[in-house]
Coordinates of all heavy atoms in Angstrom, one line a residue:
V10 N -21.5 14.6 -3.4 CA -20.1 15.0 -3.9 C -20.2 14.7 -5.4 O -20.6 13.6 -5.7 CB -19.0 14.1 -3.1 CG1 -17.7 14.1 -3.9 CG2 -18.9 14.4 -1.7
K11 N -19.7 15.6 -6.1 CA -19.6 15.5 -7.6 C -18.3 14.8 -8.0 O -17.2 15.2 -7.5 CB -19.8 16.7 -8.2 CG -21.0 17.5 -7.9 CD -22.3 16.8 -8.6 CE -23.4 17.8 -8.3 NZ -24.7 17.2 -8.8
I12 N -18.4 13.9 -9.0 CA -17.2 13.4 -9.6 C -17.3 13.6 -11.2 O -18.2 13.2 -11.8 CB -17.0 11.9 -9.4 CG1 -17.1 11.5 -8.0 CG2 -15.8 11.3 -10.1 CD1 -17.2 10.1 -7.6
F13 N -16.4 14.5 -11.7 CA -16.4 14.7 -13.0 C -15.2 14.0 -13.6 O -14.1 14.1 -13.2 CB -16.2 16.2 -13.3 CG -17.5 17.1 -13.0 CD1 -18.6 16.6 -12.6 CD2 -17.4 18.6 -13.3 CE1 -19.7 17.4 -12.3 CE2 -18.5 19.3 -13.1 CZ -19.6 18.8 -12.6
L23 N -11.9 3.1 -11.7 CA -11.6 4.3 -10.7 C -12.9 4.7 -10.0 O -12.8 5.0 -8.8 CB -11.0 5.4 -11.4 CG -9.6 5.1 -12.0 CD1 -9.2 6.2 -13.0 CD2 -8.5 4.9 -11.0
I27 N -13.5 4.8 -5.8 CA -13.7 6.1 -5.3 C -15.1 6.0 -4.6 O -15.4 6.4 -3.5 CB -13.7 7.2 -6.2 CG1 -12.3 7.6 -6.7 CG2 -14.4 8.5 -5.7 CD1 -12.1 8.4 -7.9
E48 N -7.9 19.3 -18.0 CA -7.0 18.6 -17.2 C -7.7 18.4 -15.8 O -8.7 18.9 -15.4 CB -5.7 19.3 -17.0 CG -5.8 20.8 -16.9 CD -6.3 21.4 -15.5 OE1 -5.9 20.9 -14.5 OE2 -7.3 22.3 -15.6
V49 N -7.1 17.5 -15.0 CA -7.8 17.0 -13.6 C -8.0 18.0 -12.7 O -9.0 18.2 -12.0 CB -6.9 15.8 -13.1 CG1 -5.7 16.3 -12.4 CG2 -7.8 15.1 -12.2
C50 N -7.2 19.1 -12.6 CA -7.4 20.2 -11.5 C -8.7 20.9 -11.9 O -9.5 21.3 -11.0 CB -6.3 21.1 -11.5 SG -4.8 20.4 -10.7
G51 N -8.9 21.2 -13.2 CA -10.2 21.9 -13.6 C -11.3 21.0 -13.4 O -12.5 21.5 -13.0
L52 N -11.2 19.7 -13.8 CA -12.4 18.9 -13.5 C -12.8 18.8 -12.0 O -14.0 18.9 -11.7 CB -12.0 17.4 -14.1 CG -12.0 17.2 -15.6 CD1 -11.4 15.7 -15.8 CD2 -13.4 17.2 -16.1
A53 N -11.8 18.6 -11.2 CA -12.1 18.5 -9.7 C -12.7 19.9 -9.2 O -13.6 19.9 -8.4 CB -10.8 18.1 -9.0
W54 N -12.1 21.0 -9.7 CA -12.6 22.2 -9.1 C -14.0 22.5 -9.6 O -14.8 22.9 -8.9 CB -11.6 23.3 -9.6 CG -11.7 24.6 -8.9 CD1 -11.5 24.9 -7.6 CD2 -12.4 25.8 -9.5 NE1 -11.8 26.3 -7.4 CE2 -12.2 26.8 -8.5 CE3 -12.8 26.1 -10.8 CZ2 -12.8 28.1 -8.7 CZ3 -13.2 27.4 -11.0 CH2 -13.2 28.4 -10.0
A56 N -16.1 20.3 -10.4 CA -17.0 19.3 -9.6 C -17.3 19.9 -8.3 O -18.5 19.8 -7.8 CB -16.4 17.9 -9.7
A57 N -16.3 20.5 -7.6 CA -16.4 21.0 -6.3 C -17.4 22.2 -6.2 O -18.3 22.3 -5.4 CB -15.2 21.4 -5.6
V64 N -17.4 19.7 -2.4 CA -16.3 18.8 -2.5 C -16.5 18.1 -3.8 O -17.6 17.6 -4.3 CB -16.4 17.8 -1.4 CG1 -15.3 16.7 -1.6 CG2 -16.1 18.3 0.0
G65 N -15.4 18.0 -4.6 CA -15.4 17.4 -5.9 C -14.2 16.5 -6.2 O -13.2 16.8 -5.7
I66 N -14.4 15.7 -7.1 CA -13.3 14.7 -7.6 C -13.2 14.9 -9.2 O -14.2 14.8 -9.7 CB -13.4 13.3 -7.1 CG1 -13.4 13.3 -5.6 CG2 -12.3 12.4 -7.7 CD1 -13.8 11.9 -5.0
G67 N -12.0 14.9 -9.7 CA -11.8 14.9 -11.0 C -11.1 13.7 -11.5 O -10.0 13.3 -10.7
I68 N -11.3 13.0 -12.6 CA -10.6 11.9 -13.2 C -10.3 12.2 -14.6 O -11.2 12.5 -15.4 CB -11.3 10.7 -13.0 CG1 -11.7 10.4 -11.6 CG2 -10.5 9.5 -13.7 CD1 -12.7 9.2 -11.5
D69 N -9.0 12.3 -15.0 CA -8.6 12.3 -16.4 C -7.9 11.0 -16.8 O -7.9 10.1 -16.0 CB -7.9 13.6 -16.8 CG -6.6 13.7 -16.3 OD1 -6.0 12.8 -15.6 OD2 -6.1 14.9 -16.4
G71 N -4.9 10.2 -16.8 CA -3.7 9.8 -16.0 C -3.8 10.1 -14.4 O -2.9 9.7 -13.6
T72 N -4.7 10.8 -14.0 CA -4.7 11.4 -12.7 C -6.2 11.5 -12.0 O -7.1 11.7 -12.8 CB -4.1 12.9 -12.8 OG1 -3.0 12.9 -13.6 CG2 -3.7 13.4 -11.3
V73 N -6.1 11.4 -10.6 CA -7.3 11.6 -10.0 C -7.0 12.7 -8.9 O -5.9 12.7 -8.3 CB -7.7 10.2 -9.2 CG1 -8.8 10.5 -8.3 CG2 -7.8 9.2 -10.1
A74 N -7.9 13.8 -8.8 CA -7.8 14.7 -7.7 C -8.9 15.1 -7.0 O -10.1 14.9 -7.4 CB -7.4 16.0 -8.6
L75 N -8.7 15.4 -5.7 CA -9.8 15.8 -4.7 C -9.7 17.2 -4.4 O -8.5 17.7 -4.2 CB -9.6 15.0 -3.5 CG -10.4 15.4 -2.3 CD1 -11.9 15.3 -2.6 CD2 -10.1 14.6 -1.0
H76 N -10.7 18.0 -4.7 CA -10.7 19.4 -4.6 C -11.8 19.9 -3.7 O -12.9 19.3 -3.4 CB -11.0 20.0 -5.9 CG -10.1 21.2 -6.2 ND1 -9.9 22.3 -5.3 CD2 -9.3 21.5 -7.3 CE1 -9.0 23.1 -5.9 NE2 -8.7 22.5 -7.1
Y77 N -11.7 21.0 -3.1 CA -12.6 21.7 -2.2 C -12.8 23.1 -2.8 O -11.8 23.8 -3.3 CB -12.0 22.0 -0.8 CG -12.8 22.6 0.1 CD1 -14.1 22.0 0.5 CD2 -12.6 23.8 0.8 CE1 -14.9 22.6 1.5 CE2 -13.3 24.3 1.7 CZ -14.6 23.6 2.0 OH -15.5 24.3 2.9
R82 N -8.1 27.1 -7.9 CA -8.3 26.1 -9.0 C -7.2 25.1 -9.2 O -7.4 23.9 -9.3 CB -8.6 26.8 -10.2 CG -8.9 25.8 -11.3 CD -9.2 26.7 -12.6 NE -9.6 25.8 -13.8 CZ -8.8 25.1 -14.5 NH1 -7.5 25.1 -14.2 NH2 -9.2 24.4 -15.5
R84 N -4.7 24.2 -7.1 CA -4.1 23.7 -5.9 C -5.3 22.7 -5.2 O -5.7 22.9 -4.2 CB -3.9 24.8 -5.0 CG -2.9 25.9 -5.4 CD -1.5 25.5 -5.4 NE -1.2 24.9 -4.1 CZ -0.2 25.3 -3.5 NH1 0.7 26.2 -3.9 NH2 0.2 24.8 -2.4
P85 N -5.4 21.5 -5.8 CA -6.3 20.5 -5.2 C -5.8 20.0 -3.8 O -4.6 20.1 -3.6 CB -6.4 19.4 -6.3 CG -5.1 19.4 -7.0 CD -4.7 20.9 -7.1
L86 N -6.6 19.5 -3.1 CA -6.2 19.0 -1.8 C -5.3 17.8 -1.9 O -4.4 17.6 -1.3 CB -7.5 18.5 -1.0 CG -7.3 18.4 0.5 CD1 -6.8 19.6 1.2 CD2 -8.7 18.0 1.0
F87 N -5.8 16.8 -2.8 CA -4.9 15.6 -3.1 C -4.9 15.3 -4.5 O -5.9 15.6 -5.2 CB -5.4 14.4 -2.4 CG -5.2 14.4 -0.9 CD1 -6.5 14.4 -0.2 CD2 -4.0 14.5 -0.2 CE1 -6.4 14.5 1.3 CE2 -4.0 14.5 1.1 CZ -5.2 14.5 1.9
K88 N -3.9 14.7 -5.0 CA -3.7 14.4 -6.5 C -2.9 13.1 -6.5 O -1.8 13.1 -5.9 CB -3.1 15.5 -7.2 CG -3.2 15.4 -8.8 CD -3.0 16.7 -9.4 CE -1.6 17.1 -9.6 NZ -1.3 18.1 -10.5
T89 N -3.3 12.2 -7.3 CA -2.5 10.9 -7.4 C -2.8 10.5 -8.8 O -3.7 10.7 -9.6 CB -3.1 9.9 -6.3 OG1 -2.1 8.8 -6.3 CG2 -4.4 9.3 -6.6
A90 N -1.8 9.4 -9.2 CA -1.9 8.9 -10.5 C -3.1 7.9 -10.6 O -3.3 7.2 -9.7 CB -0.5 8.2 -10.7
A91 N -3.7 7.9 -11.8 CA -4.8 6.8 -12.0 C -4.4 5.5 -11.9 O -5.1 4.6 -11.6 CB -5.5 7.2 -13.2
I98 N -6.7 5.0 -4.4 CA -7.8 5.5 -5.1 C -9.0 5.5 -4.2 O -9.7 6.5 -4.1 CB -8.2 4.8 -6.4 CG1 -6.8 4.7 -7.4 CG2 -9.3 5.3 -7.0 CD1 -6.4 6.1 -7.8
I101 N -9.0 8.4 -1.8 CA -9.4 9.7 -2.3 C -10.9 9.9 -2.1 O -11.4 10.9 -1.6 CB -9.1 9.8 -3.7 CG1 -7.7 9.8 -4.0 CG2 -9.8 10.9 -4.4 CD1 -7.0 11.1 -3.6
G102 N -11.8 8.8 -2.3 CA -13.2 8.8 -1.9 C -13.4 8.9 -0.4 O -14.4 9.6 0.0
A105 N -12.7 12.5 0.6 CA -13.9 13.4 0.2 C -15.0 13.3 1.2 O -15.5 14.4 1.6 CB -14.4 12.9 -1.3

Side-chain angles (χ1 to χ4, degrees):
V10 167
K11 301 284 187 188
I12 304 171
F13 286 3
L23 294 168
I27 291 166
E48 42 72 45
V49 75
C50 289
L52 283 170
W54 191 73
V64 175
I66 297 171
I68 303 171
D69 69 9
T72 314
V73 177
L75 169 61
H76 223 309
Y77 184 59
R82 180 187 186 279
R84 305 278 313 223
L86 197 55
F87 294 114
K88 193 161 81 169
T89 192
I98 300 299
I101 295 291

